[in-house]
Amino acid sequence: MEAAVASTGSGLRCSPNPMPKQQHERRSARVGFVSQPRPHAVRCERSPHPDARAYAAVGVGAKGGEAGGVGVERKRLAVFVSGGGSNFRAIHNAALGGEVNADVVALVTDKPGCGGAEHARGNGIPVVVFPKSKSAPEGVSTDELLNALRELRVDFVLLAGYLKLIPVELVQEYPKSILNIHPSLLPAFGGKGYYGLKVHKAVIASGARYSGPTVHFVDEHYDTGSTLAQRVVPVLANDTPEQLAARVLHELLPYVMTELCGEKMVSHLLEARQTLTSTLNSWYYLKDCCAVENPLKHDSMPSISNLSRSIKIAAPGSIST
Ligand SMILES: Nc1nc2c(c(=O)[nH]1)N[C@@H](CN(C=O)c1ccc(C(=O)N[C@@H](CCC(=O)O)C(=O)O)cc1)CN2
Ligand SMILES: NCC(=O)N[C@@H]1O[C@H](COP(=O)([O-])[O-])[C@@H](O)[C@H]1O
């Protein structure tokens, strides 16, 4: 039997709820965790210490490893996946390594047996199945999902290879706080039917010479939310979809989250996005094409601190267009 208690690694522990069922149902999330032997009410208990949310105690270290900034509260992320979860693993590793000032406190999936869910279980991250379906009867409803995300005090929702439409209720609950990484330069090759290798097959079939990932805010339609950042990569003459997918790497989402969760960015993000995108493309160009070891130290790069000085800290969800 899988562990009945899953630590989220940030002071929250989700365990079978000791409260009487009817009382529990009124008071807290009813979430069917895949890691439980059967869907039943669970309660996510907060740590007894009110300030359990770790505050980043590190500045941006000389070696650039720490991303927080003294006094910047660590953000709490819920990541949605449907497959192997390569972008999820990249974010999780960046959070564990200190590059992203955040904790992954929940993994949400429509495919409870997928690789992303396995990685979450192996790392003590609660798994929530959404939506309910014939193949996933243990799934939760939209209201139950919202309750679970509130219980876990989620700040940002990241879609990392999630293949279902996010309901408008969730979009409204997390305004400008749901991000998706799409593996093409939107608006090209986006929308219903464009996901996974299908995207790269379409790019190659079109004869396009460039492609790349897009990180964007999520609205109620597929791939139409405001773009935060893009990275351009070449499409080579004999690329297979798999080779192109590998080049459209998984660095962009961790980079954006490093900035979003650190002290460097965050309100008026959309106004700064052009600067961010050009900074990003310069960063990748110098790193990939000029083999510059640390582009952020390169003379031609605008310093991130100059970029960050132009924007102020904002509470999650307060980023306005
Ligand atoms: N409200 C939103 N929900 C989601 C968005 C979004 O921008 N707004 N992005 C997608 C991710 N995505 C592209 O980045 C995407 C995923 C899936 C599809 C798609 O056509 N799905 C199929 C079903 C596939 C399946 O179940 O295997 C479909 O809807 O017919 C398009 C784009 C995540 N959600
Ligand atoms: N439209 C969304 C979309 O196509 N996302 C893409 O699905 C793949 C799933 O990856 P995974 O194996 O890491 O889960 C990833 O390449 C991701 O960019």
Side-chain angles (χ1 to χ4, degrees), residues 8-10 13-14 24 35 51 56 63-64 75 86 92 121 154 158 160 169 179 195 205 216 241 279-280 296 309 320:
T8 62
S10 54
R13 296 185 69 77
C14 298
H24 163 76
S35 53
D51 57 353
K63 52 183 181 300
K75 298 302 183 288
S86 53
H92 184 224
R121 290 189 201 98
V154 168
L158 305 186
E169 296 88 346
L179 288 78
Y195 56 91
H216 64 92
T279 301
L280 251 175
L296 290 182
R309 258 196 278 279
S320 56

Side-chain angles (χ1 to χ4, degrees), residues 14-298:
C14 298
S15 57
N17 170 38
M19 284 192 283
K21 188 169 169 51
Q22 62 280 9
Q23 180 189 0
H24 163 76
E25 296 231 317
R26 278 200 306 278
R27 283 197 50 212
S28 58
R30 250 189 69 74
V31 179
F33 280 85
V34 175
S35 53
Q36 305 295 337
R38 63 191 183 289
H40 57 246
V42 293
R43 179 161 56 94
C44 287
E45 297 159 350
R46 284 184 173 66
S47 156
H49 306 292
D51 57 353
R53 294 175 79 163
Y55 276 75
V58 291
V60 178
K63 52 183 181 300
E66 297 79 16
V70 177
V72 178
E73 189 173 329
R74 283 177 76 81
K75 298 302 183 288
R76 301 170 62 80
L77 312 179
V79 184
F80 286 46
V81 305
S82 294
S86 53
N87 283 289
F88 160 50
R89 297 165 196 258
I91 280 291
H92 184 224
N93 292 336
L96 293 177
E99 292 81 35
V100 173
N101 181 36
D103 293 303
V104 178
V105 299
L107 187 284
V108 181
T109 184
D110 60 315
K111 303 276 192 317
C114 72
E118 290 302 329
H119 178 80
R121 290 189 201 98
N123 287 273
I125 298 171
V127 177
V128 178
V129 180
F130 175 80
K132 186 190 296 282
S133 66
K134 285 181 184 172
S135 59
E138 70 273 36
V140 298
S141 68
T142 298
D143 283 347
E144 288 171 327
L145 174 65
L146 286 173
N147 284 335
L149 296 178
R150 289 180 195 119
E151 283 286 320
L152 288 164
R153 293 178 288 120
V154 168
D155 297 305
F156 289 106
V157 172
L158 305 186
L159 310 186
Y162 187 67
L163 303 184
K164 295 299 183 190
L165 189 68
I166 295 294
V168 64
E169 296 88 346
L170 187 58
V171 175
Q172 290 170 344
E173 178 89 3
Y174 286 93
K176 292 293 182 278
S177 297
I178 307 178
L179 288 78
N180 178 55
I181 181 162
H182 179 79
S184 76
L185 296 173
L186 292 175
F189 307 105
K192 188 176 176 69
Y194 284 98
Y195 56 91
L197 286 178
K198 291 171 183 272
V199 176
H200 304 297
K201 287 174 182 172
V203 168
I204 292 168
S206 75
R209 295 186 54 212
Y210 296 96
S211 189
T214 300
V215 175
H216 64 92
F217 286 122
V218 166
D219 63 17
E220 62 273 24
H221 307 293
Y222 279 141
D223 303 334
T224 56
S226 307
T227 294
L228 273 83
Q230 294 182 311
R231 177 195 175 200
V232 178
V233 300
V235 179
L236 304 181
N238 301 318
D239 264 344
T240 63
E242 291 76 10
Q243 288 169 326
L244 180 55
R247 193 171 308 118
V248 178
L249 287 176
H250 300 106
E251 293 175 348
L252 188 58
L253 191 56
Y255 181 91
V256 171
M257 292 315 294
T258 296
E259 301 309 303
L260 200 57
C261 298
E263 63 180 10
K264 303 182 181 72
M265 113 158 57
V266 11
S267 64
H268 311 309
L269 184 63
L270 294 181
E271 292 155 29
R273 76 175 182 282
Q274 289 312 321
T275 311
L276 177 66
T277 299
S278 60
T279 301
L280 251 175
N281 284 322
S282 308
W283 187 92
Y284 281 116
Y285 178 77
L286 289 167
K287 186 166 181 285
D288 288 354
C289 302
C290 306
V292 170
E293 186 53 37
N294 185 342
L296 290 182
K297 302 285 183 197
H298 197 274

